[in-house]
């Protein structure tokens, strides 16, 4: 998942109240930190700040500033066609549905014959 998708996912989870830039940076950083890889915190912070600045310039942007200084949220006043751009479906979910729909035949052998009971 890219930083852009992670930022949008976090903003959808926080809802109307919004989230501070510092908290958003920490969330994105923690989602990308693992035992074997640790991203540079300064690079993540710079990317998140640039992304928020770039996507909150106009009133038709996907992200808007809240009344509190340094807090951002998703813009819910967008027209419906703009809101449809946000798609949070996992690509793996379609594969799982296909697996569930196909019933498998049971080829296991019974330990007891049917006529023994």
């Amino acid at each position: 998942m890219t930083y852009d998708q992670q930022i949008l996912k976090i903003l959808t989870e926080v809802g109307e109240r919004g989230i501070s830039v510092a908290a958003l940076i920490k969330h994105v950083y923690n989602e990308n930190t693992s035992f074997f890889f640790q991203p540079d915190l300064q690079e993540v912070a710079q990317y998140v700040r640039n992304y928020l600045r770039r996507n909150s310039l106009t009133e038709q942007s996907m992200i808007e500033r809240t009344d509190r200084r340094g807090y951002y949220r998703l813009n819910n006043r967008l027209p419906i066609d703009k809101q449809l751009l946000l798609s949070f479906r996992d690509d793996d979910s379609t594969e799982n549905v296909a697996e569930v729909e196909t019933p498998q035949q049971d080829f296991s052998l019974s330990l007891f014959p049917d006529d023994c009971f």
Side-chain angles (χ1 to χ4, degrees):
M1 189 181 296
T2 64
Y3 289 161
D4 298 349
Q5 293 171 337
Q6 292 171 355
I7 292 169
L8 291 175
K9 180 182 161 224
I10 294 166
L11 287 173
T12 56
E13 291 173 359
V14 296
E16 265 313 296
R17 59 191 158 96
I19 189 170
S20 69
V21 177
L24 185 61
I25 290 169
K26 288 178 186 176
H27 279 288
V28 172
Y29 177 77
N30 288 335
E31 280 193 33
N32 292 290
T33 301
S34 69
F35 186 70
F36 299 106
F37 176 72
Q38 187 173 5
D40 184 30
L41 181 60
Q42 296 302 322
E43 289 178 11
V44 172
Q46 186 66 34
Y47 185 88
V48 170
R49 285 189 196 108
N50 286 338
Y51 183 82
L52 291 174
R53 194 174 303 125
R54 190 174 54 240
N55 289 305
S56 65
L57 292 176
T58 65
E59 292 196 16
Q60 297 299 320
S61 299
M62 285 192 322
I63 300 171
E64 68 179 353
R65 296 181 186 135
T66 63
D67 296 336
R68 295 176 64 183
R69 184 174 183 263
Y71 278 70
Y72 289 86
R73 65 180 172 212
L74 286 179
N75 188 357
N76 293 331
R77 294 173 295 181
L78 286 176
I80 296 296
D81 59 341
K82 294 271 188 181
Q83 289 182 9
L84 292 177
L85 293 175
L86 298 174
S87 175
F88 296 104
R89 184 186 61 175
D90 290 335
D91 294 335
D92 297 335
S93 64
T94 57
E95 293 173 5
N96 293 340
V97 171
E99 290 176 8
V100 171
E101 291 176 3
T102 57
Q104 299 217 351
Q105 197 173 16
D106 185 20
F107 291 110
S108 62
L109 298 174
S110 176
L111 293 175
F112 305 103
D114 291 333
D115 58 346
C116 108
F117 293 109

